[in-house]
Amino acid sequence: MQELMGQRGGAASPQNAGQQKAQEDAKQEAEERRQMMLAQILSSEARERISRIALVKPDKARGVEDVLLRAAQTGGISEKVSEERLISLLEQINTHTSKQTKVTIQRRRFDDDD
């Protein structure tokens, strides 16, 4: 029984591997296109700043890149984005997405028999 299952799994595995490789290639190609578009709309200083942000907060950097790409596609960006403009965009995003941190301290209560 296990041999039959192994044969079926073994026959389907190369096809799955081919599909997986095709998906990975498509993902990599899309990421390369994304990086090329970002290189066209960002100055070198702005790209460096985004890469430093990506080291600490990859999701935030991805979101900023998405905003920039969307603006470029709709015609909102006519020239390369400078570092100063990127900083102002980051500040705007921070004000909209800032979280209020609330700390609650719960102390353990001891029953004293005094």
Side-chain angles (χ1 to χ4, degrees):
M1 186 77 151
Q2 290 177 349
E3 289 177 8
L4 290 174
M5 296 291 269
Q7 288 175 355
R8 286 186 182 174
S13 181
Q15 186 180 19
N16 288 343
Q19 288 175 349
Q20 242 179 0
K21 183 164 176 39
Q23 286 177 348
E24 288 175 13
D25 289 344
K27 253 186 191 178
Q28 186 175 3
E29 186 177 324
E31 187 61 31
E32 287 175 7
R33 273 188 271 124
R34 177 184 177 88
Q35 292 303 321
M36 283 179 26
M37 289 174 63
L38 285 170
Q40 290 175 353
I41 62 172
L42 293 173
S43 68
S44 60
E45 295 87 11
R47 278 193 315 210
E48 287 176 22
R49 183 170 289 271
I50 284 189
S51 65
R52 286 193 305 265
I53 292 170
L55 291 173
V56 180
K57 295 183 179 182
D59 54 334
K60 187 171 200 156
R62 187 76 171 189
V64 171
E65 289 173 352
D66 289 342
V67 168
L68 289 168
L69 289 173
R70 220 174 302 122
Q73 288 172 349
T74 58
I77 297 176
S78 58
E79 58 188 29
K80 284 196 172 203
V81 176
S82 66
E83 187 175 13
E84 292 79 23
R85 189 167 172 196
L86 179 65
I87 290 171
S88 67
L89 177 67
L90 287 167
E91 288 172 350
Q92 288 175 357
I93 291 173
N94 281 341
T95 58
H96 292 298
T97 61
S98 65
K99 297 181 197 174
Q100 292 294 331
T101 304
K102 183 178 180 183
V103 177
T104 306
I105 299 174
Q106 294 180 346
R107 296 193 174 140
R108 294 183 183 180
R109 302 196 191 320
F110 292 105
D111 289 334
D112 288 334
D113 291 330
D114 291 314

